[in-house]
Amino acid sequence: MSEQESSLPTPAVTSATPPRLPKRLIVLLLLYVAASVSGLIAKQGVLFCLLTLFMVLGILGRQKAGLIMLRGYTLVQLALVSMLPVILYDPDNLVVGPTTVHLGEWQGKFPDYVIFIVLIILSLLQVWVAFDKKVKIWFKPKLNLNIMN
């Protein structure tokens, strides 16, 4: 190689392919949509369900506000689920025995600590997805807090 060829600037390697929506984020968004739609059908927490659906739209639109909302949502949920045993413990209304869980036609009886463990594990999985590097790459780099843009 000659001296003149080595002094030429090398072209920067740019990725022409846009980032892909991570599969774990797709699963989490499907869970959010299913929970929100079921809440809307049951008329339970309608405003919260609508806000969750707007967050899903912001995430699909690659808005940075969607990432901020996703991370805040997961951290608040983790804190609330972690505090659930303390919040629900009321010695005057303490129900002794297992809790009955109804899923369609199926009924199961579980102790409260099993339900709390499952909820905490689900919250930890949501935190793992929300703070994953691949999920962060999905969003546009500029800070835009307009979720509907």
Side-chain angles (χ1 to χ4, degrees):
M1 213 186 213
S2 70
E3 186 176 318
Q4 186 181 23
E5 289 177 6
S6 64
S7 65
L8 292 176
T10 58
V13 178
T14 58
S15 174
T17 61
R20 302 173 92 196
L21 185 60
K23 292 176 186 139
R24 58 188 78 140
L25 184 59
I26 293 171
V27 171
L28 183 62
L29 293 180
L30 288 175
L31 179 71
Y32 285 161
V33 168
S36 295
V37 169
S38 68
L40 289 173
I41 290 171
K43 296 179 182 172
Q44 298 280 325
V46 174
L47 182 60
F48 180 71
C49 292
L50 288 174
L51 290 174
T52 303
L53 289 174
F54 277 123
M55 178 183 71
V56 169
L57 287 176
I59 292 169
L60 290 175
R62 298 180 60 201
Q63 297 295 323
K64 197 68 161 189
L67 177 65
I68 293 169
M69 289 172 61
L70 175 67
R71 289 180 173 179
Y73 183 87
T74 57
L75 290 178
V76 168
Q77 183 177 1
L78 179 64
L80 288 175
V81 168
S82 298
M83 293 297 295
L84 202 55
V86 175
I87 293 169
L88 293 179
Y89 181 74
D90 184 9
D92 297 331
N93 296 325
L94 191 60
V95 177
V96 178
T99 301
T100 304
V101 177
H102 301 276
L103 292 173
E105 297 293 321
W106 180 80
Q107 290 182 357
K109 293 187 181 228
F110 298 106
D112 287 341
Y113 70 88
V114 172
I115 295 171
F116 294 145
I117 289 171
V118 169
L119 289 174
I120 290 171
I121 289 172
L122 287 174
S123 295
L124 287 173
L125 288 173
Q126 289 178 7
V127 171
W128 172 66
V129 170
F131 288 92
D132 188 49
K133 183 180 176 184
K134 290 181 182 178
V135 171
K136 184 180 179 190
I137 291 172
W138 164 251
F139 294 93
K140 294 178 184 173
K142 69 175 188 165
L143 182 62
N144 184 359
L145 295 179
N146 183 1
I147 196 162
M148 296 306 289
N149 190 4

